[in-house]
Amino acid sequence: MQAALELESVTKRYGDFEAVRDLSFQVQSGKILGFLGPNGAGKTSTIRMILGLIAPTSGTVTVLGAHDVCQVRDRIGFLPEERGLYRRMTPVAAISFLAGLKGVPMAEGRRRANKMLDEQGLGEAKDRQIRSLSKGMAQKVQLLSALAHEPDLVLLDEPFSGLDPVNQQSLETLIKGLAARGATVVFSTHVMQHAERLCDQVVLLANGRKVFDGTVDQARSAAPRSLILEGVFDPAALAGLPGLGERTVEAADEGAIRVTATLLPGAPAQAALVAAFGLGLDIRRFELREPHLHDAFIVLTNAGGSE
């Protein structure tokens, strides 16, 4: 299967500042990739290079099989982080106009605009001026404007920013639908839950360098699991339990304490539990907690950020 997007040894410098350093990754057609990293990690510079807005200092960018993005620009949809539409236009006019810039005939653009607005619950607002819409509604209109020409590659820069939970869920459904019809979706986000639910692949950047490229499950495995023990006992008694690393102690209900301990790599939680019960500790509750993508994000970006 041909990659829809491929970066090979891409570096971008602004004077003496290296925003992106030796970045390589690829995304297969029909997949959803989450592009993650702290502020200043190099995500925006990378997206601009993919779009052909700036040129890499070195390395190659291949988009939909083309080394020159201008050849495939009409097959790309882009939602920038900085939102902006013609405020006196209606949603139907804005969507059909921007689709027309990508080669969609005006009548077909209006048909698609009406259909998409109805599907996204904006049918009653489609003939109102955009300046009268709420921020969330206007943002959805801009997103639909980026999709009306049915692009093969969709780049979304912080698409969930400013949306309420209901509209965030609606956007997740929309992204899944894009991939289901064969489009490739690349989106940047600071909200790990969205990436965790949506992504086939995640790429993490720190200080302009790639620190991880793989599946969500592979990323989560970079963070330790945790064992939670709750009951009435002296936390010092846990010192000899096998497989436990750093631990925190906090108050729980009815005079009990809650100890959260990281499990050392490869250590089975059962061994620590058997040892705890063997000591006769009054344990009323225990839980093995698997790491989330947020935990992996902290571990991987901190590791990648150290020089």
Side-chain angles (χ1 to χ4, degrees):
M1 182 182 297
Q2 181 180 0
L5 173 64
E6 183 172 5
L7 280 70
E8 185 174 354
S9 302
V10 169
T11 294
K12 180 60 183 178
R13 298 187 186 92
Y14 300 96
D16 294 332
F17 175 65
E18 199 168 47
V20 179
R21 184 190 316 174
D22 195 29
L23 176 60
S24 298
F25 68 88
Q26 62 177 242
V27 192
Q28 298 300 317
S29 298
K31 300 298 183 181
I32 302 173
L33 179 138
F35 202 39
L36 315 176
N39 291 331
K43 301 189 300 297
T44 297
S45 290
T46 301
I47 289 174
R48 288 175 177 171
M49 286 188 284
I50 294 170
L51 290 167
L53 300 177
I54 57 175
T57 304
S58 60
T60 59
V61 179
T62 305
V63 183
L64 299 173
H67 293 297
D68 181 2
V69 72
C70 293
Q71 298 175 359
V72 293
R73 188 162 283 166
D74 287 351
R75 297 171 59 195
I76 300 173
F78 174 50
L79 177 72
E81 184 177 8
E82 301 81 12
R83 316 294 190 228
L85 290 169
Y86 298 106
R87 292 173 55 79
R88 293 181 182 275
M89 295 183 80
T90 65
V92 169
I95 293 172
S96 58
F97 170 71
L98 292 171
L101 296 180
K102 296 288 189 175
V104 179
M106 184 59 67
E108 175 61 15
R110 292 185 67 85
R111 186 194 68 79
R112 293 184 188 182
N114 279 290
K115 182 176 184 290
M116 296 172 78
L117 289 164
D118 288 337
E119 290 175 346
Q120 292 301 309
L122 295 174
E124 295 182 358
K126 58 188 174 185
D127 293 320
R128 291 163 49 190
Q129 289 189 347
I130 290 171
R131 62 178 177 174
S132 71
L133 304 182
S134 69
K135 178 180 178 181
M137 293 170 71
Q139 184 168 326
K140 289 181 74 173
V141 172
Q142 182 155 353
L143 173 62
L144 298 180
S145 299
L147 303 178
H149 61 294
E150 299 180 350
D152 296 312
L153 173 64
V154 180
L155 301 171
L156 309 174
D157 198 357
E158 295 289 346
F160 297 98
S161 175
L163 293 180
D164 60 44
V166 172
N167 281 318
Q168 288 183 15
Q169 184 176 12
S170 175
L171 176 54
E172 286 192 12
T173 301
L174 183 61
I175 289 174
K176 291 178 182 177
L178 290 170
R181 73 162 175 80
T184 305
V185 182
V186 176
F187 71 92
S188 67
T189 183
H190 288 92
V191 184
M192 296 298 107
Q193 294 93 324
H194 297 306
E196 204 158 20
R197 286 191 292 265
L198 288 171
C199 291
D200 302 298
Q201 177 185 354
V202 291
V203 170
L204 273 64
L205 295 187
N207 291 337
R209 296 187 301 172
K210 182 179 74 174
V211 297
F212 179 81
D213 178 5
T215 67
V216 171
D217 285 342
Q218 289 169 339
R220 283 192 293 231
S221 68
R225 298 178 300 159
S226 299
L227 180 63
I228 299 172
L229 300 173
E230 190 173 305
V232 180
F233 54 85
D234 182 356
L238 302 182
L241 297 190
L244 299 188
E246 296 182 3
R247 64 204 72 184
T248 60
V249 182
E250 58 186 331
D253 297 332
E254 301 177 357
I257 61 169
R258 182 183 301 111
V259 178
T260 302
T262 60
L263 281 170
L264 299 178
Q270 293 87 340
L273 286 172
V274 169
F277 289 126
L279 293 173
L281 299 185
D282 180 11
I283 296 175
R284 303 174 180 177
R285 173 180 172 269
F286 61 87
E287 176 187 350
L288 176 61
R289 180 172 295 172
E290 298 292 339
H292 292 290
L293 186 58
H294 175 81
D295 304 312
F297 177 85
I298 298 299
V299 171
L300 291 165
T301 54
N302 283 345
S306 57
E307 296 289 344

